[in-house]
Amino acid sequence: MRYSAEHKSETRARVLAAAGQVFRKDGYGGAGIDALTKAAGVTNGAFYGHFKSKAEAFRTAVLEGLEELRQGIAALKTNQPKDWLTTFVGYYLGYKRTCDLGESCALPSLSPDVMRADDETRSAYTAEIKRLVEEVAAGLPEIDGRSDIVREDQAILLLAMLSGGVTLARAVSDPALSERIAEVIAQAALIAIEPRN
């Protein structure tokens, strides 16, 4: 039986969404093909019809997750040009810190596994991180004399602070400490990015 292009596209999207959730929850090492196919509700054959390997599915899930973050930032910048940064920091250290791990941001949840991944995955990740940094930098306040490099450095700082803050806040078992970490990181991130004359 031949499936339509639309069916194949829907199946691929379902497998990719499930893979992203499973890799976020269980890590690359904890997620086997059986777990991925079970989460997507497909057979092993269907999985391999879309991805050559678990590594390819992981790479695709990472890139999809980073693209989702980049698009979310772009949308915030368009919809809330004056206060997108405050909204983003609050959302990231609020909902993205407390949501189910399978729905968490790819940056803190998948980056540790990327460090151990193959060169192709790391290269693709690097290209996406550069795009993400450029997206954030383009929305940072402009000040006379501030070069694009300085704004990109601030974007790197912001992303590292938020990702690291979420990682620490998720790892602790004390909800009050988790909240405190989030508050400290939010304040520090916004202060670090404030324009200085």
Side-chain angles (χ1 to χ4, degrees):
M1 177 176 166
R2 294 182 71 80
Y3 291 106
S4 69
E6 183 179 342
H7 180 270
K8 288 178 183 177
S9 178
E10 288 172 2
T11 301
R12 179 179 167 75
R14 192 167 73 241
V15 170
L16 186 55
Q21 290 182 340
V22 171
F23 286 131
R24 282 172 173 87
K25 277 187 168 184
D26 301 331
Y28 182 81
I33 297 297
D34 288 342
L36 298 175
T37 57
K38 182 178 178 185
V42 299
T43 64
N44 283 11
F47 175 87
Y48 285 112
H50 297 283
F51 300 102
K52 293 179 211 160
S53 64
K54 177 175 122 174
E56 183 184 4
F58 174 72
R59 179 171 45 256
T60 306
V62 168
L63 299 179
E64 181 94 359
L66 293 178
E67 176 63 10
E68 181 182 306
L69 174 58
R70 191 188 68 74
Q71 286 181 2
I73 290 169
L76 267 178
K77 287 174 14 187
T78 299
N79 297 331
Q80 299 179 4
K82 291 186 195 268
D83 63 351
W84 78 269
L85 187 58
T86 302
T87 301
F88 173 60
V89 168
Y91 175 75
Y92 201 89
L93 291 166
Y95 175 74
K96 281 298 182 182
R97 173 181 58 86
T98 59
C99 67
D100 182 77
L101 192 55
E103 300 297 323
S104 65
C105 178
L107 196 57
S109 59
L110 299 178
S111 293
D113 283 322
V114 172
M115 290 187 295
R116 298 172 190 88
D118 57 57
D119 289 342
E120 185 178 353
T121 299
R122 293 186 69 212
S123 292
Y125 175 88
T126 300
E128 280 303 310
I129 289 294
K130 287 178 180 178
R131 289 181 70 213
L132 182 58
V133 166
E134 289 169 3
E135 186 70 56
V136 172
L140 295 180
E142 292 185 31
I143 295 179
D144 292 339
R146 179 182 284 182
S147 70
D148 288 342
I149 297 294
V150 170
R151 290 169 71 201
E152 286 181 4
D153 287 350
Q154 286 190 305
I156 291 168
L157 175 64
L158 176 68
L159 292 168
M161 288 177 78
L162 296 179
S163 179
V166 165
T167 300
L168 288 177
R170 275 191 174 275
V172 298
S173 62
D174 179 352
L177 179 56
S178 177
E179 183 68 30
R180 182 176 175 196
I181 291 168
E183 288 173 5
V184 167
I185 295 299
Q187 290 173 11
L190 292 172
I191 289 169
I193 304 307
E194 280 294 311
R196 289 182 281 282
N197 294 323

